[in-house]
């Protein structure tokens, strides 16, 4: 197939929606498909070097503040001018033959800006990015992107809860609810064998100066997080001060290391927090952790309710329990039941330090940690990225056949 993929910016971090685009491009190209990527920009073109000689790029030059709607109009032009058998859009604001809206849209941008910016900064950001407000209005009015031919052939949602949300949201839009296809949750980081995982854990902890006896919670913060992580930091500080030998430590993969370090110092927790940049060694970060915390609410917009977070899936595949705030991306994974009848984690109902302390104390229980880790590993084993690509390839083939039949009738 000749596949046209429409996306926003491509970055390297595997738990961002942008890096998922790179993974899909590489996977489809390795299976012999010709892939053209129409994207906003490329942070690192070298990451596509192993894709295929048939792989091409076509980037969107963002010169206006009306970025969501301008990008959608640009994507529609590319669908008309670039020869393809089927188009796949991963953008909330641009449509395609197959739509898998994993990237945030205007609603997500507004929610994040309100959380992280001061009143003055928010006013400036709104003036400079008025396109985000218009995009949010389009989302609210139509619940789906406008598409050139007026229809979407297939809509892919990941996970049972997200699929239900998509079906309800799209049912009133030209019957799109009937075209929702469910894909299983998937991870993107490949765990090493169990023996190699132990060596990786020791090496990672040594490099981060984390004592082997301390319990470690891993958190990813690729975007500005504002105060959403404060309750977790305060809980770690209190428990760490109480038990210096086995108390918890927090390992944060952060985009803004300086801001989070200042926040940890202000909260008196800098002794119990390690903050790194958005390292590519996600396998080492997962290996160093005893559990993974998901303290950030899922981004707003279509299919966000209960949408499965890839960090949560990778935690299961590495055998790491999940402590997830209710409504966080991937919180539903903590409610899965393994064949042993154990859960792979627990859900924190409120983002307070007291609620996080109750959850973190479970990680300090050796028996609970052993049972939950085994449950996580058994549930995470089948959640491979290849399963998503298999499903996606089938859906693209079906949409391509439907598109060819429609063109043949014209």
């Amino acid at each position: 197939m000749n596949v046209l993929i429409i996306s926003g910016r491509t970055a390297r971090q595997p738990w961002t929606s942008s890096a998922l685009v790179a993974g899909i491009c590489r996977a489809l190209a390795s299976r012999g498909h010709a892939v053209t990527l129409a994207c906003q920009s490329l942070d690192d073109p070298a990451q596509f070097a192993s894709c295929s000689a048939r792989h091409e790029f076509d980037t969107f030059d963002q010169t206006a503040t009306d970025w969501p709607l301008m990008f959608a109009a640009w994507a529609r032009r590319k669908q008309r001018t670039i020869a393809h058998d089927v188009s796949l859009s991963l953008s909330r604001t641009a449509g395609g033959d197959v739509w898998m809206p994993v990237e945030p849209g205007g609603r997500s941008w507004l929610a994040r800006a309100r959380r992280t910016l001061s009143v003055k900064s928010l006013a400036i950001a709104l003036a400079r990015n008025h396109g985000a407000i218009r995009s949010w209005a389009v989302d609210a009015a139509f619940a789906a992107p406008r598409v050139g031919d007026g229809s979407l052939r297939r809509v892919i949602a990941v996970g049972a809860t997200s699929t239900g949300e998509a079906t309800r949201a799209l049912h009133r839009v030209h019957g799109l609810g009937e075209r929702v296809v469910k894909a299983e949750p998937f991870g993107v980081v490949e765990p090493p064998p169990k023996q190699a995982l132990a060596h990786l854990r020791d090496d990672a902890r040594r490099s981060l100066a984390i004592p082997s006896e301390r319990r470690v919670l891993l958190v990813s913060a690729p975007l500005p997080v504002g105060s959403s992580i404060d309750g977790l930091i305060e809980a770690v500080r209190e428990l760490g001060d109480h038990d210096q030998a086995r108390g918890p430590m927090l390992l944060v993969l952060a985009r803004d290391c300086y801001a989070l370090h200042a926040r940890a110092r202000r909260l008196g927790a800098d002794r119990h927090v390690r903050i790194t940049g958005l390292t590519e060694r996600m396998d080492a970060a997962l290996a160093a952790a005893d559990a993974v915390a998901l303290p950030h609410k899922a981004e707003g917009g279509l299919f966000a309710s209960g949408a499965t977070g890839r960090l949560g899936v990778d935690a299961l595949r590495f055998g790491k329990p999940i402590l997830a705030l209710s409504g966080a991306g991937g919180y539903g994974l903590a409610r899965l039941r393994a064949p042993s009848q154990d859960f792979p984690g627990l859900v924190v109902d409120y983002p307070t330090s007291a609620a996080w302390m109750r959850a973190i104390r479970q990680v300090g229980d050796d028996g609970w940690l052993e049972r939950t880790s085994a449950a996580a590993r058994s549930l995470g084993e089948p959640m491979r990225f290849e399963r998503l690509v298999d499903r996606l390839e089938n859906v693209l083939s079906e949409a391509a056949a439907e598109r060819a039949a429609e063109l043949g009738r014209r």
Side-chain angles (χ1 to χ4, degrees):
M1 283 184 297
N2 190 344
V3 183
L4 170 63
I5 297 180
I6 300 164
S7 78
R9 183 183 298 274
T10 63
R12 297 181 68 91
Q13 294 77 37
W15 298 323
T16 65
S17 59
S18 301
L20 176 61
V21 179
I24 291 174
C25 286
R26 284 194 295 267
L28 291 177
S30 69
R31 297 184 181 202
H33 302 290
V35 179
T36 301
L37 174 61
C39 61
Q40 177 182 337
S41 61
L42 295 169
D43 285 352
D44 183 12
Q47 66 182 309
F48 294 91
S50 61
C51 271
S52 167
R54 304 168 70 188
H55 198 283
E56 300 177 12
F57 300 118
D58 199 335
T59 57
F60 167 59
D61 184 16
Q62 181 179 319
T63 57
T65 58
D66 195 4
W67 56 265
L69 299 185
M70 291 286 287
F71 177 74
W74 175 85
R76 287 195 293 272
R77 290 196 299 273
K78 292 304 174 184
Q79 286 177 304
R80 292 192 298 268
T81 57
I82 297 177
H84 61 279
D85 299 317
V86 64
S87 60
L88 166 67
S89 173
L90 295 103
S91 169
R92 294 187 188 276
T93 56
D97 297 312
V98 178
W99 190 42
M100 185 179 172
V102 297
E103 295 175 346
R107 184 180 303 182
S108 298
W109 185 91
L110 287 170
R112 188 162 59 243
R114 287 178 58 193
R115 285 198 312 267
T116 58
L117 299 179
S118 65
V119 174
K120 181 179 179 180
S121 298
L122 179 60
I124 295 173
L126 290 175
R128 291 177 176 174
N129 296 277
H130 53 80
I133 304 174
R134 294 179 58 196
S135 176
W136 169 82
V138 171
D139 286 345
F142 297 100
R146 292 189 171 186
V147 191
D149 61 2
S151 66
L152 291 169
R153 291 181 174 83
R154 300 288 187 279
V155 179
I156 299 179
V158 179
T161 310
S162 184
T163 304
E165 180 75 6
T167 303
R168 289 190 296 273
L170 293 173
H171 185 72
R172 62 185 177 87
V173 185
H174 307 301
L176 284 179
E178 300 172 0
R179 291 179 171 268
V180 174
V181 178
K182 177 185 175 182
E184 296 302 321
F186 60 94
V188 292
V189 184
E190 190 65 29
K194 200 169 182 179
Q195 187 175 7
L197 187 62
H199 289 296
L200 188 60
R201 175 185 186 274
D202 294 338
D203 291 343
R205 287 196 171 209
R206 264 196 305 272
S207 66
L208 293 166
I210 297 176
S212 59
E213 301 82 11
R214 300 287 297 267
R215 303 295 197 200
V216 176
L217 296 174
L218 174 66
V219 178
S220 177
L223 297 170
V225 295
S227 61
S228 63
I229 201 173
D230 282 5
L232 180 58
I233 293 178
E234 290 172 354
V236 167
R237 178 205 65 206
E238 194 158 340
L239 292 172
D241 287 345
H242 179 72
D243 187 351
Q244 296 280 350
R246 285 172 53 87
M249 292 189 70
L250 200 61
L251 174 58
V252 188
L253 306 181
R255 175 181 176 180
D256 193 341
C257 300
Y258 296 105
L260 270 174
H261 180 68
R263 187 174 292 276
R265 289 195 64 182
R266 180 175 60 79
L267 296 172
D270 49 313
R271 291 172 298 169
H272 310 298
V273 178
R274 297 287 185 272
I275 301 171
T276 72
L278 292 176
T279 174
E280 293 177 28
R281 292 303 311 276
M282 301 299 181
D283 56 343
L286 283 161
D290 294 293
V292 168
L294 305 175
H296 314 302
K297 290 283 189 178
E299 289 193 335
L302 209 54
F303 313 165
S305 178
T308 300
R310 291 184 295 283
L311 171 57
V313 177
D314 284 325
L316 298 187
R317 301 190 69 226
F318 274 70
K320 309 298 180 180
I322 299 170
L323 309 182
L325 181 67
S326 180
Y331 81 100
L333 295 169
R335 291 177 171 167
L336 299 177
R337 192 182 290 273
S340 63
Q341 299 302 306
D342 291 312
F343 293 101
L346 50 85
V347 175
V348 180
D349 291 323
Y350 305 102
T352 62
S353 59
W356 279 113
M357 283 175 62
R358 288 192 293 271
I360 296 171
R361 285 194 182 101
Q362 295 288 333
V363 181
D365 183 329
D366 292 336
W368 182 90
L369 188 61
E370 183 178 352
R371 292 192 307 273
T372 311
S373 298
R377 193 172 294 107
S378 65
L379 289 168
E381 174 60 28
M383 296 181 180
R384 297 184 178 90
F385 180 59
E386 290 76 14
R387 291 189 65 180
L388 170 73
V389 179
D390 290 340
R391 187 66 165 137
L392 180 60
E393 191 175 31
N394 291 336
V395 173
L396 289 172
S397 297
E398 294 170 358
E402 186 175 343
R403 181 174 185 268
E406 289 183 5
L407 291 176
R409 289 194 296 266
R410 292 178 183 176

